[in-house]
Amino acid sequence: MPYNLADYTLSRGSTSLTHYHAIYLSPHLDDAVLSCGGQIHQRTQRGERVLIATVTAGNPSAEMVSAYAQSLHNRWELLTEAVEGRRQEDIRAAAILNADTLHWPIPDCIYRYHEPSGTPYYTSDEEIFGEIHLGERGVVQEIAQLIEQLPSHETLLAPLGVGHHVDHLLTRTAAEITTTQLTYYEEYPYAQEVDGATEQVVSRLPIQLTPRIISLHEMDVSARIESIAQYESQLSTFFTGRDDLACQVSSFVQKVDGERTWQRVK
């Protein structure tokens, strides 16, 4: 299905902005903030305009919510209007970082299905962290078309694919179709779950990348933690509570000396 970016307005901030210093492609309604909240805050504090464009922020078909998707709604404690609830969390999180948000209409992979048969493409944790379903080949082009319609920008950042979530892989591939001037970010918390997880992904890519360490001030780390805390529905997936969130994020920031992005070696 072709999508027109003009049909989807910014969720906060100035809807008249036509240029951003940086645009972060977020596969889901939390990935960019989870992974890059400190650097986003740092950018906006020095006066830069930042946009977080969430790729899979669309509503599911009401009659096509699988048992697996419903089980996630139960875990999130969002039993009605789950996606709208998550969009509101994202707006609150971005507001703390003073970033604009753009929510695209493609549904999360847990809601996508084979239309003729009504069969969901992904019905388990193993499947969403597995291989992209053969029926989803057209999704890359749909995402790429939306990326091409973005406002002008100096830097476009996309996920590396750490964790191997299918929506992260689709987002990265689509971004690579649209530009070779791409900066990658490592996804948190997947990057902390296995030592060297990011480096393993980088080593398997067909291009050579070099890391850049972004040093963070204490206020940047605090802003990242507070913005992540706005995703109340998602906290139980990754953390035991807010104290654990603060501890884990702070520890990982210390481990990598800030936040890491990756750029193509010229």
Side-chain angles (χ1 to χ4, degrees), residues 43-77:
R43 283 179 178 276
T44 60
Q45 284 295 107
R46 62 176 180 247
E48 294 187 21
R49 293 287 190 176
V50 175
L51 174 65
I52 300 171
T54 301
V55 175
T56 63
N59 291 322
S61 172
E63 63 276 7
M64 290 295 180
V65 175
S66 68
Y68 173 61
Q70 190 59 55
S71 73
L72 295 180
H73 292 181
N74 294 341
R75 182 202 300 172
W76 301 340
E77 298 183 6

Side-chain angles (χ1 to χ4, degrees), residues 31-148:
D31 289 310
V33 171
L34 272 163
S35 308
C36 307
Q39 63 189 271
I40 293 172
H41 181 261
Q42 191 174 97
R43 283 179 178 276
T44 60
Q45 284 295 107
R46 62 176 180 247
E48 294 187 21
R49 293 287 190 176
V50 175
L51 174 65
I52 300 171
T54 301
V55 175
T56 63
N59 291 322
S61 172
E63 63 276 7
M64 290 295 180
V65 175
S66 68
Y68 173 61
Q70 190 59 55
S71 73
L72 295 180
H73 292 181
N74 294 341
R75 182 202 300 172
W76 301 340
E77 298 183 6
L78 291 174
L79 301 184
T80 60
E81 301 294 333
V83 176
E84 176 58 24
R86 295 197 63 191
R87 286 194 292 256
Q88 292 304 313
E89 290 176 340
D90 191 54
I91 291 170
R92 291 193 294 272
I96 289 171
L97 304 177
N98 200 30
D100 291 340
T101 57
L102 180 61
H103 296 154
W104 283 343
I106 299 172
D108 188 302
C109 71
I110 65 172
Y111 304 124
R112 299 197 298 268
Y113 60 94
H114 180 250
E115 291 192 13
S117 66
T119 303
Y121 286 132
Y122 308 97
T123 58
S124 68
D125 290 350
E126 291 74 20
E127 289 181 353
I128 67 174
F129 292 104
E131 299 306 315
I132 297 169
H133 194 284
L134 292 177
E136 295 239 273
R137 290 174 177 171
V139 177
V140 168
Q141 287 298 331
E142 292 176 358
I143 299 170
Q145 289 169 6
L146 288 169
I147 293 173
E148 289 169 350

Side-chain angles (χ1 to χ4, degrees), residues 23-34:
I23 297 180
Y24 289 77
L25 296 175
S26 186
H28 304 111
L29 290 156
D30 61 5
D31 289 310
V33 171
L34 272 163

